[in-house]
Amino acid sequence: MSVTLLSIFILLLLLGVPLAISLGVGVVATLLIFDIPLDLLPQSMMSSMNSFLLVAVPLFVLAGNLMAGGGISDRIFHGAEVIFGRFRGGLGQVNIAASAIFGGISGSSVADVVSLGKIEIKAMTDHKYPRPYAAAMTMVTSTLSSLMPPSILIIIAASTASVSVGAALAGGLGPSMVLIVVLMVLNWVLSVRNGYGQISKTGFKKGLAIVVAGIPALGGPVVILVGLFSGFFTPTEAASVAVFYSLLVGIYVYRDMKWAQMPKMIIDSGLTTGTILLIAMIANVASYIFTIDGLPAKVSSWLLGVTTDPIIVMLLIGLILIIIGTVMDIVAAILLCSPILMPAALAAGIDPIHFVVYLVAALSVGLVTPPVGVSLFATSYVSGLSIEKIVKAATPHYVVMVVAIVILAIFPQLILWPAEVLTSN
């Protein structure tokens, strides 16, 4: 059954059929071929959406749109520029810091590119960075929004794997810090070696004014993360706080947004959310088919037949996930891979929180690689550069991202320690 479903799914994808339709046709065809009652389809789809946690998804998508339209992203970037711009490669470090802060509210990589991308690329090119390099930095740093709590992808993965969403979100801080460090080191090395960028020093009074003006924007992640990890509110409540905070700051503090813009933002957020959740509903039925066919047990048996060493198992899983992430939408990949690979990870003695966060981190590489990387396409649109030029400039960044994935496989405490400390209460 699993082979039939996957074969139909992959064939339709290669023919250019949209992902959700490809998966849906594969699921329905498999149910008909193996005489499984079609009643399973609507029942399973509806039950998969009966989750309070998933309400966080549309809310965080809306928060990202509000940040883009409310001037919050501009202030985040300029505040970071005051701090990092005075160093060699400084605007590259600003790019990284701004994406990390933005991710602390929106939880969306595409929102990061669309909201911050034009500002970051223009600022870097104005300060003598090559445009392809500026676009590549903007693209790869957007993956921080997929890892920094409150990440939409980690919420989906943790919900699918039935593990603590709060602990998984806290665990996302570890990969975020690792990625920030390796990207900052790479940016500094490339900037020094190639003479990229001009040093941008801001006077004390002007810099202080910019930082003070950015405090409301920078305060968003603080409010959300402190409330989330202190247990004051749940991930779903954190999403509603993100929307409320972004709305108030955008309309009443920065006044860059009007109430009249809200209907369009809500519609855009609904369209994005509908795509994500449609894939999630169909993937839930596919996961059920995989389970009754015994695919997770077969994959687990194969992996443990190769090795029982937890580190080697995680490295193999990471390799599989990176390959899958390059050819499949990340939401679908999370929903399909989690039930298949998690039994093998658990059998090897790997902590489920480590697995869930590592799953998202490894698949996030696919967001910035051809042929289906949504952040890659968004960056191409924002920058006006071809995909080929961006990919060529991003090659060193791909290497350090893979190095980060290897580090996370070898040192599980990078994920487990923040999860334990921040959710211990």
Side-chain angles (χ1 to χ4, degrees):
M1 283 189 287
S2 300
V3 173
T4 302
L5 193 160
L6 291 172
S7 298
I8 296 171
F9 172 54
I10 293 170
L11 176 62
L12 292 175
L13 273 184
L14 293 175
L15 292 174
V17 178
L19 186 142
I21 296 174
S22 298
L23 187 58
V25 171
V27 165
V28 172
T30 302
L31 294 176
L32 291 172
I33 291 169
F34 291 92
D35 200 26
I36 300 172
L38 287 177
D39 291 351
L40 172 70
L41 188 61
Q43 291 173 3
S44 183
M45 289 174 69
M46 292 304 297
S47 65
S48 68
M49 292 297 100
N50 187 23
S51 170
F52 177 66
L53 282 169
L54 290 180
V55 177
V57 175
L59 290 175
F60 277 126
V61 172
L62 178 57
N65 286 337
L66 291 171
M67 287 181 69
I72 296 175
S73 52
D74 296 26
R75 271 71 175 196
I76 288 174
F77 180 83
H78 293 305
E81 185 180 4
V82 170
I83 299 170
F84 293 102
R86 60 188 65 246
F87 305 109
R88 172 62 67 183
L91 280 185
Q93 315 299 32
V94 170
N95 199 323
I96 297 167
S99 291
I101 296 168
F102 185 93
I105 299 180
S106 73
S108 169
S109 293
V110 176
D112 180 291
V113 173
V114 173
S115 178
L116 286 169
K118 288 183 179 179
I119 307 168
E120 292 170 337
I121 294 170
K122 183 180 186 303
M124 290 184 73
T125 52
D126 286 349
H127 287 80
K128 309 304 180 185
Y129 289 84
R131 191 170 184 81
Y133 180 78
M137 281 294 298
T138 299
M139 177 183 69
V140 296
T141 57
S142 73
T143 57
L144 287 167
S145 293
S146 296
L147 299 171
M148 282 290 293
S151 160
I152 293 173
L153 296 176
I154 289 180
I155 291 172
I156 292 172
S159 178
T160 302
S162 299
V163 302
S164 168
V165 173
L169 286 172
L173 283 171
S176 300
M177 294 303 108
V178 171
L179 191 56
I180 287 170
V181 169
V182 297
L183 288 177
M184 282 190 166
V185 170
L186 176 66
N187 173 65
W188 181 80
V189 170
L190 292 177
S191 297
V192 170
R193 179 183 297 173
N194 300 312
Y196 289 164
Q198 295 175 330
I199 293 175
S200 172
K201 293 184 179 180
T202 305
F204 178 77
K205 287 185 177 180
K206 183 180 178 182
L208 182 62
I210 292 172
V211 170
V212 170
I215 287 175
L218 297 172
V222 176
V223 171
I224 292 164
L225 297 182
V226 169
L228 184 61
F229 296 131
S230 67
F232 191 74
F233 39 68
T234 67
T236 303
E237 291 165 347
S240 63
V241 170
V243 170
F244 187 65
Y245 187 93
S246 301
L247 190 62
L248 289 181
V249 171
I251 292 179
Y252 296 113
V253 179
Y254 295 141
R255 300 183 180 181
D256 286 355
M257 190 174 69
K258 306 296 181 185
W259 281 106
Q261 296 172 255
M262 276 299 293
K264 183 178 185 304
M265 289 188 176
I266 291 172
I267 291 170
D268 290 344
S269 301
L271 291 172
T272 302
T273 303
T275 302
I276 294 172
L277 296 185
L278 176 61
I279 295 170
M281 288 190 291
I282 299 171
N284 186 68
V285 187
S287 297
Y288 175 79
I289 293 172
F290 293 151
T291 301
I292 62 175
D293 191 36
L295 183 60
K298 294 172 186 175
V299 173
S300 178
S301 177
W302 174 77
L303 277 173
L304 296 178
V306 175
T307 179
T308 56
D309 185 285
I311 293 176
I312 304 300
V313 169
M314 284 300 273
L315 288 173
L316 287 173
I317 288 175
L319 176 62
I320 293 169
L321 291 172
I322 289 173
I323 293 171
I324 290 173
T326 62
V327 296
M328 186 182 295
D329 174 84
I330 190 167
V331 174
I334 288 171
L335 295 165
L336 293 176
C337 292
S338 180
I340 294 173
L341 295 174
M342 191 168 183
L346 297 180
I350 294 160
D351 189 283
I353 296 295
H354 181 205
F355 170 79
V356 165
V357 178
Y358 183 79
L359 170 85
V360 175
L363 287 173
S364 293
V365 177
L367 288 170
V368 296
T369 57
V372 297
V374 290
S375 291
L376 172 59
F377 289 111
T379 305
S380 176
Y381 172 77
V382 167
S383 67
L385 294 173
S386 68
I387 288 172
E388 291 78 11
K389 286 185 178 180
I390 297 173
V391 169
K392 183 178 179 181
T395 300
H397 302 85
Y398 294 146
V399 173
V400 298
M401 289 180 78
V402 172
V403 169
I405 299 302
V406 172
I407 291 171
L408 294 172
I410 297 173
F411 302 104
Q413 283 305 118
L414 290 169
I415 292 172
L416 298 178
W417 184 76
E420 292 167 1
V421 170
L422 293 175
T423 59
S424 58
N425 59 344

